[in-house]
Amino acid sequence: MARLELVRDGAAAYVPCPDCGHHIDVSTAGLEWTIHSPRDVADRLICQLGSLPREELHVLLLTARNRVVAQERLYQGNVSSAQVRVGELFREAVHRHLPEISLVHNHPSGDPTPSPDDLALTAEAIAAGRLLDIAVLDHIVIGGDGYISLRDRGVAFDQR
């Protein structure tokens, strides 16, 4: 599958339609949607993150019923990493009194296989979330047109 070129225009993000070339809005800013499975996140964010030249970490802010009320890009790194301060992951969820978050980031290499740093960040986020009483629903790694859910891979997330 050919990589799609992401175009940003303010808060909106677009990719060209592979068939007709018209711009498809792939931004989720201001739109609420519900997560039923990791595939729901991947379907929404692969076009947005899969072909970026730099690693980005996004936090999805969720209600108790897995409704996404906001998506925040917290970090933008280089081609292979982004430095993350775990406390920042929860700042907006605490401010908005939201009980859940989900982490999503991309690998510019196109390989969604989680790195040791990805696993360490996930473990630290889960531990911090326990202290704050904010559940970390999942950590999804997007690479090219593929994704891996760390929850599905057996990482020890809290039971919901």
Side-chain angles (χ1 to χ4, degrees), residues 1-157:
M1 179 176 189
R3 293 189 134 197
L4 299 175
E5 181 84 20
L6 182 71
V7 177
R8 291 190 189 272
D9 180 16
Y14 301 94
V15 294
C17 173
D19 294 323
C20 67
H22 285 88
H23 282 73
I24 301 169
D25 183 357
V26 294
S27 64
T28 57
L31 303 176
E32 291 189 10
W33 47 288
T34 302
I35 297 174
H36 300 286
S37 72
R39 181 83 227 168
D40 295 331
V41 175
D43 285 346
R44 276 299 248 240
L45 299 181
I46 281 177
C47 283
Q48 189 178 23
L49 302 177
S51 64
L52 294 177
R54 292 193 171 120
E55 192 165 308
E56 289 188 5
L57 173 69
H58 291 236
V59 174
L60 303 178
L61 303 170
L62 307 164
T63 67
R65 295 194 175 174
N66 299 341
R67 189 139 185 87
V68 178
V69 297
Q71 174 185 340
E72 290 189 306
R73 180 180 70 182
L74 287 188
Y75 290 95
Q76 183 176 24
N78 57 34
V79 294
S80 62
S81 70
Q83 296 298 319
V84 177
R85 187 173 164 271
V86 173
E88 293 295 314
L89 301 175
F90 297 94
R91 183 176 35 131
E92 195 61 27
V94 168
H95 177 74
R96 293 186 187 204
H97 306 284
L98 293 168
E100 296 180 351
I101 66 169
S102 191
L103 307 175
V104 184
H105 85 277
N106 67 307
H107 284 175
S109 68
D111 180 1
T113 303
S115 69
D117 287 342
D118 296 340
L119 298 173
L121 173 63
T122 304
E124 290 173 8
I126 291 167
R130 285 183 190 128
L131 293 173
L132 295 168
D133 198 26
I134 298 174
V136 178
L137 182 66
D138 202 346
H139 184 172
I140 296 173
V141 183
I142 294 174
D145 60 358
Y147 75 97
I148 290 176
S149 159
L150 274 73
R151 178 179 282 277
D152 285 354
R153 281 282 174 105
V155 172
F157 287 86

